[in-house]
Amino acid sequence: MTRLEKLYNEKVVPELQKEYGYTSSMEIPRMVKISLNIGLGAASQNSKLIDAAVEELTAIAGQKAVVTLAKKSIAQFKLREGMPVGCRVTLRDDAMWDFYDKLVSFALPRVRDFRGIPDRGFDGRGNFTLGIKEHTIFPELEIDRVELVKGMNVTVTTTAKTDKEGKTLLDLLGMPFKK
């Protein structure tokens, strides 16, 4: 059991139960998975970008990243169906808890002029998506070896039914939202 999972079981669950008055332990919101995604439109011209992105995302996540392919051909972007356009990885269980701990404790505080995360990223069902402009904030990457600084999306999927419940869950787990 990871440090953050232990915190969830010992402190977050009773607090959520007290605040929202859940009668069953199955009603209490929890994190299900974290999805990481890097989109590279320029990869249609340069295939080495995809290889580097997969390698870097694998280092960040600790799990092998999968290349995503274009679903449609778009002539204006010189894109054909089946061409690589990005990479993604989905984390669950211990890998998810470890990544979330690393994101909140190490990566986000390394963002320049960090003032907190806006809470606009909720989807109406308690899931939160965060856009990161520079993937170099993660300590696993050697900045000297990175050719192109890439952005990435981090989506935290929860079992919360509303955005308020999801925000409370992530807030109690240490997500640094703007006050």
Side-chain angles (χ1 to χ4, degrees), residues 16-160:
L16 285 170
Q17 201 160 15
K18 186 177 81 174
E19 186 172 336
Y20 292 102
Y22 299 122
T23 54
S24 169
S25 63
M26 295 306 287
E27 287 179 295
I28 300 170
R30 65 185 183 282
M31 287 197 308
V32 177
K33 65 182 178 180
I34 294 179
S35 305
L36 308 174
N37 175 37
I38 295 179
L40 291 167
S44 61
Q45 267 56 14
N46 185 357
S47 63
K48 289 182 183 177
L49 288 176
I50 284 288
D51 298 336
V54 168
E55 189 178 303
E56 291 163 3
L57 191 58
T58 300
I60 290 169
Q63 184 173 308
K64 182 80 166 112
V66 177
V67 175
T68 54
L69 305 175
K71 293 179 182 177
K72 288 176 151 184
S73 298
I74 303 173
Q76 293 169 332
F77 299 130
K78 298 178 183 165
L79 187 65
R80 297 281 164 253
E81 186 177 334
M83 289 176 94
V85 290
C87 58
R88 65 182 169 89
V89 64
T90 301
L91 304 172
R92 298 174 195 272
D93 300 325
D94 285 347
M96 170 191 69
W97 288 106
D98 287 337
F99 177 80
Y100 186 83
D101 195 12
K102 179 174 48 175
L103 176 72
V104 170
S105 303
F106 299 114
L108 289 177
R110 289 181 64 172
V111 173
R112 191 178 308 132
D113 298 330
F114 185 68
R115 302 243 189 280
I117 297 171
D119 59 355
R120 296 186 308 262
F122 284 96
D123 66 351
R125 297 180 182 184
N127 304 319
F128 182 69
T129 300
L130 164 70
I132 297 175
K133 291 181 182 169
E134 295 182 11
H135 74 302
T136 55
I137 62 172
F138 290 96
E140 293 83 8
L141 299 179
E142 294 178 36
I143 298 173
D144 302 339
R145 298 186 67 212
V146 175
E147 287 180 39
L148 178 70
V149 176
K150 302 162 195 69
M152 67 187 291
N153 294 335
V154 177
T155 302
V156 180
T157 306
T158 67
T159 59

